[in-house]
Amino acid sequence: MIFVFLGPPGAGKGTQAKILEHDLGAKQLSTGDILRENVKNDTSLGREAKPHMTSGGLVPDNLIIRMMGEYLATVETPILDGFPRTVPQAQALDDFLHENRLDATAVLFDVDMDVLTERLTGRWTNPRSGRVYHEKFNPPKIAGIDDEDGGELVQRDDDRSETVKKRLATYEKETAPLVHYYENDSPTVRFVRVNGLAPIDEVTEQLRALLHGEHA
Ligand code: AP5
């Protein structure tokens, strides 16, 4: 079984993937986290990806499809957070599901675009665990420190407001068409929606109700 979390930057995909890993017996596979780790370690993938990420655009499909082919082969029940993000990526995922006789559910986090800038510019992340906080909507007990492991929280470079604007425009152009793809064209993937505007714990409850019993 594969879970696909779809939605614009700041919709809550990473937050919910981390919360639900245990419940679903699944593992979050965040393309953004994998790419940031490659940039940090200055790998050849990281060097190719960095200018696209810094500008708020997408990393080319061929790089992402190759990278995810390797990760998908190693994780039994992934929660895909940030993949697919274009129709060619979705078609590559359909091929993988078909070849491996796997089922998938894609969840769209429905949100209004105007809440996203505030969510992203107030986000604080633990880069080691991927756990996500927000200074207003989900603050840690001590500012700048992860409640769970005491690690330092940082703000992402691409959460500056000028880059956020570009990321949201990229979403509308490149990723929003996936909604039509999953509603109409995908041969294999079940498509559902959650109200991503609800408070974090209510979104978790919606997801539990929709996805309960679907893990392998
Ligand atoms: P990536 O890291 O995937 O960023 P993203 O999709 O832009 O998603 P975010 O992590 O910003 O948002 P999220 O939905 O996870 O929100 P979160 O839960 O943190 O990608 C980064 C870059 O890598 C891309 O721009 C691209 O260049 C490249 N890339 C990645 N994948 C690629 C691909 N497949 N193809 C090509 N390029 C790719 O929540 C945000 C904030 O809101 C947090 O502070 C949180 O506490 C708060 N929050 C969450 N839910 C709620 C709620 N319900 N109410 C109030 N606050 C909330």
Side-chain angles (χ1 to χ4, degrees):
M1 182 72 201
I2 290 185
F3 300 103
V4 177
F5 283 6
L6 269 182
K13 307 178 296 291
T15 299
Q16 297 296 336
K18 263 283 156 259
I19 295 172
L20 287 164
E21 274 185 324
H22 180 71
D23 282 26
L24 297 175
K27 182 170 162 40
Q28 177 195 25
L29 263 189
S30 156
T31 40
D33 286 350
I34 297 168
L35 290 167
R36 278 184 288 279
E37 192 62 20
N38 275 275
V39 170
K40 192 174 117 204
N41 295 330
D42 197 28
T43 65
S44 62
L45 171 62
R47 284 193 292 277
E48 285 193 69
K50 188 175 176 179
H52 302 285
M53 297 171 76
T54 311
S55 70
L58 293 184
V59 176
D61 284 336
N62 61 332
L63 292 181
I64 295 291
I65 290 169
R66 191 165 2 114
M67 174 182 103
M68 289 310 284
E70 287 170 23
Y71 277 90
L72 282 170
T74 63
V75 178
E76 199 176 330
T77 310
I79 301 173
L80 299 182
D81 165 10
F83 176 85
R85 241 175 164 104
T86 63
V87 171
Q89 292 181 22
Q91 287 166 335
L93 179 62
D94 279 336
D95 291 345
F96 177 86
L97 293 168
H98 180 69
E99 279 159 24
N100 293 281
R101 298 174 180 220
L102 290 169
D103 293 322
T105 296
V107 184
L108 175 70
F109 287 60
D110 257 330
V111 284
D112 291 339
M113 296 303 264
D114 55 10
V115 305
L116 300 175
T117 302
E118 185 182 16
R119 283 196 188 178
L120 292 170
T121 53
R123 167 165 60 183
W124 289 81
T125 307
N126 180 337
R128 287 155 302 282
S129 66
R131 226 175 338 271
V132 181
Y133 294 86
H134 190 280
E135 55 198 27
K136 181 164 154 196
F137 304 125
N138 181 27
K141 293 190 182 96
I142 302 169
I145 304 290
D146 188 339
D147 293 347
E148 308 263 328
D149 66 10
E152 189 194 353
L153 303 177
V154 299
Q155 289 198 287
R156 274 171 42 179
D157 288 343
D158 62 349
D159 280 348
R160 294 198 186 95
S161 58
E162 63 279 15
T163 315
V164 164
K165 256 190 225 151
K166 290 187 197 146
R167 288 166 61 204
L168 295 177
T170 300
Y171 174 82
E172 291 282 18
K173 183 160 173 265
E174 308 275 354
T175 310
L178 281 184
V179 174
H180 182 274
Y181 179 80
Y182 279 126
E183 279 182 328
N184 300 286
D185 301 329
S186 171
T188 44
V189 176
R190 172 184 172 236
F191 180 72
V192 294
R193 294 168 184 257
V194 291
N195 173 13
L197 290 172
I200 292 172
D201 53 350
E202 287 182 24
V203 179
T204 307
E205 286 316 312
Q206 292 176 56
L207 285 162
R208 282 204 178 106
L210 280 168
L211 303 179
H212 182 71
E214 290 206 4
H215 51 92

